């Protein structure tokens, strides 16, 4: 796919719309989840600070969000924007960069024309640390603006998030409901727990893409990804372009999904 490797803007959108028009609807994922890995390594390979990689990765994410939700008309896109595990392992300086980038980008979503015109719902799940007031305000504003939308799709950013944290929070909510007499313990099943997840109401991802060649979920959507197809492009996230997206979709379409059967 060298001919589409470096396409951007309207040229890229045209290729994607043409591909979407030729694809069998049933063969397409309804929900894509992305672990955008490799920003720091990409920057280091170029002799640049990690902040350079994060900024480049953010620019790439802005493109991919539009490609997936607007051009391909995939209904759900979930992004692992920041793992809570990373919060404890990154320097204060790098975390400051990451939180500032996230605040700016989430503020921008509330003004993004394609989000507004397509009425895309934007959600942010996880536990934003105390003191990150600008990020918290940005999240509150975009969620308030879009919470009744969804006709054009749903974009979920997982920030300071882990799958285990989400499951623990859901289990606590189930226990509290039982304690209040709203739920009988004998009635607790998989569907019950699912209703208390951060992502309640959304389908699990059909396709999980993790870049940079690392082949693990790293505590991302552990419950929801039970039957997801996993694809691991070798490129770092800033280099994940149109060709890599289409290759991932073609690989997904070529798989026979059995959902554990």
């Amino acid at each position: 796919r060298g001919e589409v490797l470096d396409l951007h803007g309207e040229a890229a959108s045209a290729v994607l719309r043409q591909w979407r028009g030729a694809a069998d609807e049933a063969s397409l994922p309804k929900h894509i989840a992305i672990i955008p890995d490799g920003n720091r390594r990409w920057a280091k390979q170029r002799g640049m600070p990690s902040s350079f990689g994060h900024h480049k990765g953010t620019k790439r994410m802005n493109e991919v969000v539009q490609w997936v939700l607007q051009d391909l008309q995939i209904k759900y896109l979930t992004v692992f924007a920041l793992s809570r595990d990373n919060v404890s392992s990154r320097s204060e300086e790098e975390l400051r960069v990451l939180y500032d980038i996230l605040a700016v980008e989430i503020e921008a979503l509330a003004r993004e024309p394609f989000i507004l015109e397509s009425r895309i719902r934007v959600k942010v799940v996880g536990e934003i640390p105390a003191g990150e007031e600008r990020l918290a305000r940005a999240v509150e504003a975009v969620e308030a603006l879009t919470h009744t939308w969804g006709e054009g799709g749903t974009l979920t950013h997982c920030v300071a998030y882990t799958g285990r944290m989400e499951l623990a929070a859901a289990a606590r909510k189930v226990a509290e409901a039982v304690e209040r007499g709203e739920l009988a313990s004998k009635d607790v099943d998989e569907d019950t727990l699912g209703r208390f997840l951060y992502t309640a109401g959304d389908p699990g991802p059909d396709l999980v893409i993790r870049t940079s060649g690392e082949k693990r979920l790293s505590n991302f959507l552990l419950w929801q990804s039970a039957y997801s197809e996993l694809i691991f492009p070798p490129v770092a996230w800033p280099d994940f372009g149109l060709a890599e997206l289409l290759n991932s979709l073609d690989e997904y379409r070529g798989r026979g999904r059995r959902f554990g059967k």
Side-chain angles (χ1 to χ4, degrees):
R1 277 214 164 89
E3 73 278 6
V4 300
L5 185 62
D6 293 320
L7 293 183
H8 302 277
E10 185 52 41
S13 293
V15 169
L16 287 168
R17 288 194 293 267
Q18 182 180 26
W19 184 93
R20 176 70 168 77
D24 175 23
E25 180 75 27
S27 71
L28 298 175
K30 295 178 176 59
H31 184 173
I32 295 176
I34 297 177
I35 305 173
D37 194 22
N39 289 339
R40 295 200 301 171
R41 276 165 284 169
W42 184 90
K44 185 176 181 181
Q45 289 168 359
R46 289 157 178 77
M48 301 295 286
S50 60
S51 59
F52 180 73
H54 293 312
H55 282 288
K56 286 292 185 180
T58 298
K59 183 177 179 182
R60 176 63 69 191
M61 182 58 71
N62 291 339
E63 273 193 312
V64 172
V65 166
Q66 186 164 348
W67 290 347
V68 170
L69 292 173
Q70 184 176 50
D71 299 325
L72 292 173
Q73 297 176 26
I74 303 296
K75 282 308 228 179
Y76 296 89
L77 174 62
T78 301
V79 176
F80 203 0
L82 177 64
S83 169
R84 191 177 68 168
D85 295 334
N86 290 153
V87 172
S88 60
S89 64
R90 301 289 173 90
S91 68
E92 286 190 21
E93 180 183 3
E94 185 173 2
L95 285 174
R96 178 76 274 126
V97 170
L98 286 167
Y99 286 132
D100 286 347
I101 288 174
L102 284 167
V104 169
E105 291 307 309
I106 291 172
E107 286 171 349
L109 287 174
R111 304 186 300 271
E112 177 60 49
F114 91 87
I115 295 284
L116 304 178
E117 292 164 9
S118 300
R119 292 176 60 84
I120 291 169
R121 185 180 182 188
V122 179
K123 301 193 296 183
V124 179
V125 302
E127 295 182 0
I128 296 173
E132 295 302 326
E133 295 178 2
R134 181 180 181 184
L135 177 56
R137 287 196 303 270
V139 169
E140 183 179 3
V142 77
E143 289 189 333
L145 174 67
T146 68
H147 79 282
T148 62
W149 298 357
E151 299 94 322
T154 297
L155 170 63
T156 302
H157 280 289
C158 298
V159 177
Y161 163 96
T162 70
R164 287 182 176 181
M165 175 184 82
E166 180 182 21
L167 288 169
R172 284 194 300 273
K173 290 177 182 177
V174 169
E176 290 165 0
V178 170
E179 205 171 72
R180 291 192 299 267
E182 299 170 358
L183 185 65
S185 59
K186 66 180 179 62
D187 295 329
V188 176
D189 57 15
E190 292 181 14
D191 290 337
T192 307
L193 189 63
R195 292 199 300 270
F196 288 92
L197 295 173
Y198 296 151
T199 57
D202 296 346
D206 301 295
L207 169 60
V208 177
I209 298 172
R210 178 175 184 152
T211 56
S212 84
E214 300 290 350
K215 297 180 179 179
R216 53 182 177 268
L217 286 174
S218 294
N219 217 346
F220 178 53
L221 298 182
L222 298 180
W223 178 277
Q224 299 89 334
S225 298
Y227 300 113
S228 302
E229 296 298 320
L230 311 179
I231 293 178
F232 303 103
V235 300
W237 176 248
D239 287 332
F240 183 85
L242 191 60
E244 287 74 27
L245 176 59
L246 290 174
N247 287 340
S248 296
L249 289 167
D250 283 340
E251 183 175 345
Y252 169 84
R253 294 171 69 210
R255 293 187 181 181
R257 302 192 69 196
R258 289 181 284 275
F259 300 94
K261 298 177 183 178

